[in-house]
Amino acid sequence: MIGRKNMGRASPLFLVLLALGFFFATYNLLTMIFHHRTSGKWVGDDSESVSLSDPIIEMPENVKKPKNAKLPFHVALTATDAPYSKWQCRIMYYWYKKKKALPGSEMGGFTRILHSGSPDNLMNEIPTFVVDPLPAGLDRGYIVLNRPWAFVQWLEKASIEEEYILMAEPDHIFISPLPNLAHGGYPAAFPFFYIKPAQNEKIIRKFYPEENGPVTNVDPIGNSPVIIKKDLLEKIAPIWMNVSLRMKDDPETDKAFGWVLEMYAYAVASALNGVQHILRKDFMIQPPWDLETRKKFIIHFTYGCDYNLKGELTYGKIGEWRFDKRSYLRGPPPRNLTLPPPGVPESVVTLVKMVNEATANIPDWDPQ
């Protein structure tokens, strides 16, 4: 160890190197603080998320969840009374009940927000809150526009005990016990590869003017899956609804965003409220593109899974073996679906096995 006397005799070169070391250490610290205060985007696959702009920087200590703290969230999904929506909700609710009870889960209560305006035959099976659809013709055939309006009504009228809410969808299956991935004022969301605010800046600026900040403030997300504080969602939901309607009314925006318009509207509404999300790639997988379920939480079976009997993907062409939710628009899939051929990714095999388990155990599963 260098004592004070020796320090006084240190060479000029040593002192220069020491000063440079101190300078770069200070510079790195300031850079980290700058990233924390300006980026607002955090992405990760583990419980300790890191910054999107610099994968070395960890979540700031002041927004990390205290150890052993339980922060339950309410699971909420919007749905219609169509057969296509009903069978997916039944499977989703089956797996919610199974995973909720396991260690590591912070799932709280559950609500199917039914935006058809009247009760249906699942009221006794699934906890349901009935809300009104948009006035006739306002959605112009784009039924997803009812989602933000449904959340506005539910948040205003329902009694919700939990401080946090998970916005989910009928075609979600819980594959692992889901903890609360949010951190205080930072909601958690899944980043979608096809939501690209920066590449659509001209359109985004119609709804998120330059004076609000850079377009990178608009996260590459939709409203689902998102875990968010209830009070934040209460602020975002009315703006999300209004932005969705404005986007649908604008022909250029409607054409550019198509079926993901409402997703962009949620991302813009969040940014308008100064809310940015922790981006969790492990939040969800989407077969057939994502191949494994390990260390993931939700399967989103939105894409068709088509394979030949050699186990090769034939996406865009109906396969010799297939599972596609759109094959069951008028009624549920039958029990005991045929498993995929050898060579098909584990994610697809798991999906079919989980559908089969649910349909085998849900009473009165009628394929008609």
Side-chain angles (χ1 to χ4, degrees):
M1 181 178 291
I2 300 176
R4 290 186 177 181
K5 291 183 179 180
N6 290 331
M7 280 292 290
R9 300 170 186 163
S11 69
L13 178 59
F14 173 81
L15 294 174
V16 169
L17 291 174
L18 186 64
L20 285 173
F22 177 78
F23 168 80
F24 282 114
T26 304
Y27 175 81
N28 288 336
L29 178 61
L30 291 173
T31 301
M32 289 173 66
I33 294 171
F34 175 79
H35 277 306
H36 285 329
R37 292 182 176 176
T38 60
S39 107
K41 290 183 171 58
W42 310 91
V43 61
D45 289 323
D46 303 314
S47 58
E48 299 297 329
S49 300
V50 294
S51 169
L52 183 63
S53 57
D54 186 342
I56 298 173
I57 301 173
E58 292 188 356
M59 178 69 67
E61 291 293 333
N62 66 328
V63 295
K64 287 184 179 180
K65 184 167 62 175
K67 290 183 179 180
N68 303 319
K70 290 281 285 185
L71 297 174
F73 54 86
H74 196 97
V75 179
L77 71 155
T78 54
T80 73
D81 60 0
Y84 176 66
S85 178
K86 286 181 179 179
W87 69 258
Q88 294 176 51
C89 288
R90 297 183 81 190
I91 292 174
M92 196 268 200
Y93 184 58
Y94 172 87
W95 284 106
Y96 153 80
K97 289 188 293 183
K98 289 205 70 171
K99 301 301 181 181
K100 177 188 177 182
L102 297 178
S105 166
E106 292 182 88
M107 298 177 184
F110 186 102
T111 300
R112 179 182 64 134
I113 307 171
L114 182 63
H115 55 74
S116 301
S118 58
D120 65 4
N121 64 341
L122 295 183
M123 303 294 292
N124 293 329
E125 179 179 334
I126 304 174
T128 299
F129 193 93
V130 179
V131 297
D132 293 325
L134 289 167
L138 196 58
D139 64 13
R140 291 202 292 281
Y142 181 54
I143 198 169
V144 184
L145 280 185
N146 285 281
R147 182 176 293 154
W149 173 223
F151 271 107
V152 168
Q153 295 174 81
W154 177 63
L155 290 165
E156 181 179 335
K157 299 176 182 178
S159 177
I160 307 160
E161 294 183 3
E162 295 85 355
E163 186 181 3
Y164 290 83
I165 291 169
L166 164 65
M167 291 187 282
E169 295 183 20
D171 59 355
H172 287 176
I173 292 178
F174 295 106
I175 50 179
S176 300
L178 181 60
N180 189 337
L181 303 176
H183 293 266
Y186 290 86
F190 176 78
F192 289 91
F193 70 89
Y194 48 79
I195 302 297
K196 302 176 179 179
Q199 292 187 20
N200 292 280
E201 181 167 4
K202 178 185 174 185
I203 293 175
I204 293 292
R205 286 304 187 192
K206 293 183 178 184
F207 312 94
Y208 188 74
E210 289 188 10
E211 56 264 28
N212 288 92
V215 75
T216 51
N217 286 348
V218 180
D219 293 327
I221 61 171
N223 83 290
S224 176
V226 166
I227 300 177
I228 185 170
K229 269 192 159 185
K230 181 172 57 179
D231 59 352
L232 285 180
L233 185 56
E234 287 171 342
K235 295 176 182 178
I236 292 171
I239 298 173
W240 171 28
M241 180 186 71
N242 290 329
V243 172
S244 296
L245 294 172
R246 285 177 55 207
M247 285 184 170
K248 190 66 179 174
D249 282 337
D250 183 76
E252 182 185 21
T253 305
D254 190 22
K255 181 179 179 181
F257 290 165
W259 65 275
V260 297
L261 179 149
E262 169 267 342
M263 297 173 69
Y264 272 103
Y266 174 79
V268 168
S270 297
L272 288 170
N273 278 276
V275 176
Q276 295 188 292
H277 298 69
I278 305 163
L279 305 181
R280 295 289 302 236
K281 293 184 293 183
D282 59 342
F283 208 156
M284 187 169 75
I285 62 169
Q286 302 186 100
W289 313 118
D290 298 308
L291 307 182
E292 297 181 354
T293 60
R294 183 175 176 270
K295 293 186 177 181
K296 304 300 189 293
F297 298 108
I298 293 172
I299 289 180
H300 183 208
F301 56 97
T302 190
Y303 295 103
C305 300
D306 288 275
Y307 293 86
N308 62 27
L309 297 182
K310 297 179 181 179
E312 298 167 335
L313 183 65
T314 62
Y315 191 78
K317 177 183 177 182
I318 294 177
E320 296 173 280
W321 180 93
R322 77 177 329 221
F323 176 76
D324 187 339
K325 66 178 185 178
R326 294 164 191 83
S327 300
Y328 308 103
L329 294 175
R330 298 183 179 180
R335 285 174 165 154
N336 197 27
L337 293 169
T338 303
L339 293 178
V344 171
E346 180 266 339
S347 62
V348 179
V349 176
T350 298
L351 167 61
V352 178
K353 286 182 175 179
M354 295 185 80
V355 169
N356 280 346
E357 179 182 329
T359 60
N361 289 282
I362 296 174
D364 302 317
W365 189 266
D366 187 355
Q368 299 300 321

